[in-house]
Amino acid sequence: MRVLLSTWGSRGDVEPLAGLAVKLRQLGVDAQVCAPPDDEFVALLARANVPMIPLGPSVQSVVSRPKPPTAQDAFKLAPELVAARFETLTRAAADGCDAMLATGLMPAGVRDVAERLGIPYVLACFHILGLPSQHTSPGKRPGTPPATGPTDRRAEWAQDAERVNALYAEALNTHRAAIGLPPVGNVRDHVFTEHPWVAADPVLLPAAGQTELDIVQTGAWILPDERPLPADLERFLDAGEPPVYVGFGSMASYAPQDIARAAIEASRAHGRRVLLARGWAGLSTIDDAADCFVVGEVNQQALFPRVATVIHHGGAGTTGTAARAGAAQLIVPLIADQPFWAKRVTELSIGTSAPDPTTESLATALATTLSPTTQSKARSLGPTLQTNGTEVAANLLLQTINS
């Protein structure tokens, strides 16, 4: 049995698929991951012993620019990704494939290749921000600005579908026609299907009843990490009380200017040492003081239980890893689903947020996350979170194939 898992996006889009692939392979399924060819993702999948098929351009080539991607960049990237999915997935499935699962940036093209092959297709997501709902308005997308004046949610979501069509419809339907398939009128709903999977913990994300679609919530997809921490990092951790961790993952050009300085100065105001994760934003120390340490890519599952607070951008992956570790969180939300996770962390009393980070605002927020109440709440929540999401999803996928 062979399954292709496809994504294009940040590490938070790739690592969960690696976790699911590992579980599927343990069950005897030949699971392969189609993902962007960034060095970090190549190394991650190699470490997990999961075969990788490069898909599209590297994410770093798109986001690691002096300024964040523009609407013009989005309209250029969308058809490029559609073409890459048709080409890559068709080639990857040439030796046989029993199902395709997609996630990441609007994966238009995956369902269409599966349709042509006559095999099951599943859309999975790590939050519900983009799923049509009468409870929330849609997030921002490139394209025509929202209509001015009052509109109801149904009209807002109809406009959202139009923006997705503007990005993807022409390319998608051109490729569909080339393989003998009829055109799609609503790309967003076609990609999402009526039964998308939500790979998120139900405590962190109580998704039931929050969307118009009939979702299947599996729990988060976790890739186990057994790597030891580097010896020099261990020495730093052992040399004093738990430090404040600061990392912005794949955010690169989105990271706030001078965020490292603001976080270091705010932490020092509380007498705390700082552990900076370099990441794609290239965070670095502001002086040679011994109270700061910089790390590259490390095992967050082992690290986060040993820090006092995790300051981060609020991606679904980092939020979940910190929550399971029992670490308090200070989220600086930048884009997409990050404001949602900042709000959720605050609601659960396991942290807070600082949307406009300065030394002063971060210091104030750290007073909350370092408080005994927040520390206790975070430690108590960790063990209650679900950890068998990959097992649930893998078994569901096997049932889908065999039904």
Side-chain angles (χ1 to χ4, degrees):
M1 186 176 293
R2 187 159 177 255
V3 171
L4 292 176
L5 310 177
S6 174
T7 191
W8 196 91
S10 69
R11 182 180 180 128
D13 296 300
V14 177
E15 185 164 334
L17 285 196
L20 178 58
V22 167
K23 181 57 66 176
L24 285 166
R25 295 177 74 81
Q26 289 173 354
L27 296 174
V29 178
D30 178 13
Q32 302 181 20
V33 173
C34 302
D38 296 80
D39 291 344
E40 180 178 341
F41 306 154
V42 172
L44 184 153
L45 288 159
R47 171 167 59 84
N49 198 28
V50 172
M52 176 183 173
I53 300 169
L55 173 67
S58 73
V59 177
Q60 273 197 294
S61 71
V62 175
V63 303
S64 294
R65 299 171 181 174
K67 295 182 179 180
T70 64
Q72 184 178 3
D73 294 328
F75 276 92
K76 178 182 178 182
L77 178 63
E80 182 179 356
L81 289 178
V82 170
R85 292 185 186 110
F86 272 88
E87 178 184 354
T88 301
L89 292 169
T90 299
R91 185 175 65 249
D95 295 330
C97 182
D98 295 286
M100 291 186 182
L101 181 146
T103 187
L105 180 66
M106 188 58 68
V110 183
R111 180 178 183 177
D112 315 275
V113 175
E115 182 181 348
R116 180 66 180 84
L117 296 173
I119 60 176
Y121 159 83
V122 175
L123 183 281
C125 48
F126 308 117
H127 56 81
I128 59 173
L129 183 69
L131 302 182
S133 170
Q134 293 306 301
H135 301 281
T136 59
S137 297
K140 295 180 180 179
R141 291 192 198 275
T144 305
T148 57
T151 58
D152 61 22
R153 290 259 165 80
R154 196 169 301 279
E156 290 178 334
W157 283 103
Q159 293 169 359
D160 180 70
E162 291 172 2
R163 293 189 194 98
V164 175
N165 275 357
L167 284 162
Y168 295 96
E170 182 178 356
L172 182 69
N173 286 326
T174 297
H175 285 279
R176 282 179 63 86
I179 59 175
L181 296 177
V184 168
N186 184 322
V187 174
R188 184 198 65 197
D189 292 359
H190 171 75
V191 169
F192 286 168
T193 78
E194 295 181 352
H195 307 285
W197 293 6
V198 176
D201 184 272
V203 173
L204 291 178
L205 176 56
Q210 296 303 306
T211 171
E212 306 308 295
L213 303 179
D214 182 18
I215 65 169
V216 177
Q217 188 159 11
T218 65
W221 298 348
I222 304 166
L223 175 65
D225 196 341
E226 303 298 331
R227 294 174 296 166
L229 297 176
D232 53 353
L233 174 56
E234 286 278 9
R235 288 192 293 271
F236 178 77
L237 293 170
D238 290 341
E241 63 181 337
V244 171
Y245 170 95
V246 184
F248 286 81
S250 309
M251 286 299 95
S253 58
Y254 291 101
Q257 188 174 11
D258 294 331
I259 184 63
R261 175 176 294 277
I264 290 170
E265 292 176 347
S267 300
R268 285 173 173 172
H270 288 276
R272 292 285 179 164
R273 301 180 303 153
V274 180
L275 181 58
L276 287 169
R278 188 177 296 109
W280 290 6
L283 301 187
S284 61
T285 56
I286 59 175
D287 53 37
D288 296 327
D291 64 344
C292 292
F293 190 88
V294 180
V295 295
E297 204 279 310
V298 296
N299 181 353
Q300 293 182 341
Q301 295 171 21
L303 175 60
F304 283 178
R306 301 180 63 179
V307 303
T309 291
V310 177
I311 299 179
H312 65 106
H313 55 293
T318 308
T319 302
T321 302
R324 289 188 296 274
Q329 303 183 50
L330 198 176
I331 295 180
V332 180
L334 305 173
I335 58 172
D337 58 317
Q338 296 165 14
F340 167 82
W341 294 111
K343 180 174 181 288
R344 191 69 189 128
V345 160
T346 302
E347 290 172 344
L348 291 167
S349 300
I350 60 173
T352 188
S353 66
D356 299 306
T358 63
T359 298
E360 292 74 20
S361 67
L362 291 177
T364 299
L366 280 172
T368 298
T369 65
L370 295 172
S371 72
T373 300
T374 304
Q375 294 282 314
S376 176
K377 286 276 190 180
R379 286 193 299 269
S380 297
L381 182 73
T384 71
L385 301 182
Q386 184 179 346
T387 58
N388 66 337
T390 56
E391 181 179 358
V392 172
N395 285 320
L396 279 172
L397 191 56
L398 291 179
Q399 291 173 21
T400 300
I401 294 171
N402 293 323
S403 61

